[in-house]
Amino acid sequence: MTAVTPAPPVPRREYPSPYLRLLIVLTVIVGMNYIVWRWLFSINWDAWWIAVPLVLAETYSLIDSLLFAFTMWRLRRRPPPPPAPDGLTVDVFITTYNEPIDLVLRTAEAAQRIRYPHRTWILDDGARTELADAARERGIDYLTRAASWAGKPRHAKAGNLINALLHTDGEFLLILDADQVPEPEILDRTLGYFSDEGMALVQTPQYFVNVPDSDPLGSQAPLFYGPIQQGKDGWNSAFFCGSNAVLRREALMQLGITGYVTAVEDGVARALRTADRVVRRAQRSVPAGQPEVAAALGSVRRAVRAARADLRAGRPLAEVTYRFQQEVDAAARTVVDADLGAIRADLDAIAALDEHASETVILDEAVLDDLADREWSPLGAIESVRALISAVDVDRADEAEPTQALATISVTEDMATAMRLHAAGWRTAYHHEVLAYGLAPEDPKTMLTQRLRWAQGTIQVMLRENPLVQKGLTLAQRLMYWSTMWSYLSGFAALVYFAAPVIYLVFGVLPVQAWSVDFFARLIPFLILSQLLFFVVGRGTPTWRGQQYSLALFPVWIAAVWTAVRNVWFGRPLDFAVTPKTRQGEDSVPWYLFRPQLAVMALLVVAAVIGVVRLYFGAISVLGVVANLVWVVFDLFILSVVVQAARYRGPRREGEE
């Protein structure tokens, strides 16, 4: 199969220098030395309620640093790719829902100017007649959902792309968001990677033209669209970011077929589990004078176990179900004469189950539980087992398209799709060159909506398809995906980092045994080396704004975790909002958006004043106050970014004062 072709060797010059790797090793050693010492020798167990959360938060941060160091170990700076091969067929997909029509057309017209031969498609999930007319006037292909999607889950952008895949035929797909204006050479610069037949995806950076140098909303991501993606690329883990990416159609269609087979196999497995419960229950009610009936039920149960074992062994589904049905038929013939008196009582229930099968009604957990808990006669149990397998929804009637080429388990389809591609053996590449220019949020409310959606989607993937246990991924790939998911748990650590200095300055409660030389001699070198590592791998690219937002948006990260858990584990709806592409203006400064951060800032200031007063009266130590005041200043600096964000009014437009 194409996806399992061996990867070409990577020249040594594309990987980090020995000096960078030496810095990584030093950072890891110093960090491990600090955290081991903290756990073994420094926790103030008399104040465990703050001491333990603090050391847990520090452990979280160290793990985050170790994952970053592991990513940087194989930071890959690729040379220019080979020239784009002639004769490839390419579809350029521009996804849109409710974005302004002039914005969509600007992107589409730029896509038309891409030099490599291709077809440009506007995928309009809003089904707007005026956009269809405008596209037709410009010679741009226009596509909206097929009728088969009516009344079925739409799966947001992933569903839009799945629909387009089944109505187009290009070998390769360039996917663009409605605001991402491509350069004419984008395909010339990326298609060469696909000379490697195992290459499924080439991701390029997302860069925003409406962001000032100060980047008050933290929209540019130079650390991610740079060292982090390059590091993931070194471990064959560079992932799809939703836009500005070229994908191989064959790889996506393979995912769709594999997913379809997996879904059907899962349906059969669930039916077999229920069948086992049905037969077990029926065995308990067999009269002592009917050994042939007991033997027949025993043979059905053995057939159930054999079928489940065959499924786990990967045997063909049709072969497994055919053999199972033959075993059930033989058992039914054995008991039909011995159980005539009880058959009539079960006929209606079996007929209802057969009706489920004919109407392709999904056998959900409630239906399966009802079947398993019913008091069946022996023959009724056997017939219900047979009907259960027949009722498996082979056509996947609950979905508009039975083969889903992109992951639909999350509000952000990109990461989960890339992870499935890697698990299937495909390779990806990160091309570090800006080839499309987009629009970032221009107001804090839109920025927060975008960040919440990203975080919710990532946590959904973590809960539904945890990379640490996904088959097919290498250990490095598991860690690369986990590192991105892990980073969104930082909101809980941030709460502890903000609380600890307040508790000490106000109440004098020390989370460590003492502010000793041992403490600072271990902590300060780790902090310095960590920041030096950021500086070196970034090659002067400013990364501090991203570090600020990783802590300052702690309410967003906590809300994302909470809502994603409720959605995945408890079935609660997860509100989805497309990120607006135009400014959502407000006359006044929207301080209300940052109430938790402002409250923490006020608390830190009050705690600092109380701490100084307590020091004046000799209630706490000088070193403790100084250390925690430095801590407070650092926290205030981190949180100050939300003040800039709240006051930001977007880039100045032509004609604005």
Side-chain angles (χ1 to χ4, degrees), residues 103-130:
L103 182 149
V104 179
L105 293 174
R106 183 167 65 248
T107 300
E109 289 169 346
Q112 282 185 304
R113 295 191 291 270
I114 294 174
R115 287 195 289 261
Y116 195 92
H118 66 284
R119 290 183 69 178
T120 298
W121 297 83
I122 293 176
L123 312 183
D124 183 18
D125 232 6
R128 291 166 287 181
T129 303
E130 58 271 33

Side-chain angles (χ1 to χ4, degrees), residues 275-351:
D276 192 49
R277 293 167 59 192
V278 168
V279 176
R280 278 204 320 266
R281 194 177 185 93
Q283 281 180 312
R284 292 196 294 267
S285 63
V286 175
Q290 293 185 337
E292 69 281 6
V293 173
L297 289 174
S299 69
V300 172
R301 195 167 177 200
R302 286 192 297 273
V304 169
R305 291 171 180 168
R308 295 176 70 180
D310 287 344
L311 275 182
R312 289 193 294 270
R315 297 184 188 236
L317 187 61
E319 179 184 322
V320 172
T321 54
Y322 176 76
R323 186 184 305 160
F324 178 73
Q325 292 282 21
Q326 294 296 104
E327 296 279 352
V328 173
D329 288 344
R333 286 192 295 270
T334 301
V335 300
V336 69
D337 292 329
D339 199 33
L340 284 175
I343 289 175
R344 292 185 182 84
D346 292 328
L347 286 178
D348 291 340
I350 296 169

